[in-house]
Amino acid sequence: NVDVTMIEPNAPGHRVREVYVEGGGTPALLAIDQDATGQARGLTLSYAKALGVTRAGVIETTFAEETETDLFGEQMVLTGGIPKLIQSAYKVLLESGYSPAVSWLVCYYELKTIVDMFHSMGFEFMNAAICYTAEYGEQTCL
């Protein structure tokens, strides 16, 4: 006889607060597992609004989808794929005789710059921007 809902901002708590104070919001997921009162969606959206996430957008999902995709993203991409890619690329450059400082700059800092640009300008813009400067990008643009 209770509502079971979730609003899940897609950012750590400190970032949710930081963006909120700046007048923005982080995207979020909303799930309703049980709507005992008939008002679960409205109540959950009010929590979303209070967090500021409606400023960026709220996507409706399920508890299972949120949990499984979140674990996949965290384990495969954020703590698995990206760090391993950076470490492997850094190692290749070092083994090829490049300095640690320049190798780190290229493998880490430039990744952050590109991710920031993806975030602010979107994937389509970035793909068009790098289409003819990266060998792989050029091949996929044709």
Side-chain angles (χ1 to χ4, degrees):
N1 62 352
V2 297
D3 293 337
V4 179
T5 70
M6 170 182 62
I7 189 72
E8 190 271 328
N10 285 114
H14 72 277
R15 181 68 180 147
V16 173
R17 178 67 180 159
E18 182 180 279
V19 174
Y20 177 86
V21 169
E22 293 169 353
T26 62
L29 298 175
L30 175 147
I32 300 168
D33 191 58
Q34 182 172 299
D35 187 1
T37 65
Q39 308 213 3
R41 191 170 195 282
L43 178 62
T44 306
L45 281 171
S46 71
Y47 284 118
K49 186 174 182 179
L51 289 168
V53 297
T54 56
R55 298 171 184 164
V58 176
I59 300 170
E60 200 153 345
T61 187
T62 64
F63 275 64
E65 183 176 54
E66 187 284 329
T67 302
E68 293 162 10
T69 58
D70 191 55
L71 287 171
F72 179 84
E74 288 175 3
Q75 299 302 313
M76 295 301 299
V77 179
L78 301 177
T79 62
I82 292 173
K84 191 65 175 174
L85 174 64
I86 293 169
Q87 292 165 354
S88 296
Y90 179 71
K91 182 179 176 184
V92 165
L93 289 175
L94 290 180
E95 289 173 353
S96 297
Y98 296 100
S99 73
V102 171
S103 298
W104 185 249
L105 182 71
V106 167
C107 294
Y108 173 75
Y109 182 77
E110 287 187 19
L111 173 66
K112 182 194 179 311
T113 302
I114 295 298
V115 169
D116 288 347
M117 290 171 69
F118 273 128
H119 178 73
S120 66
M121 297 177 199
F123 284 108
E124 289 179 13
F125 173 85
M126 284 304 301
N127 189 49
I130 65 171
C131 192
Y132 297 103
T133 60
E135 181 180 349
Y136 179 77
E138 183 174 344
Q139 292 172 2
T140 60
C141 294
L142 301 176

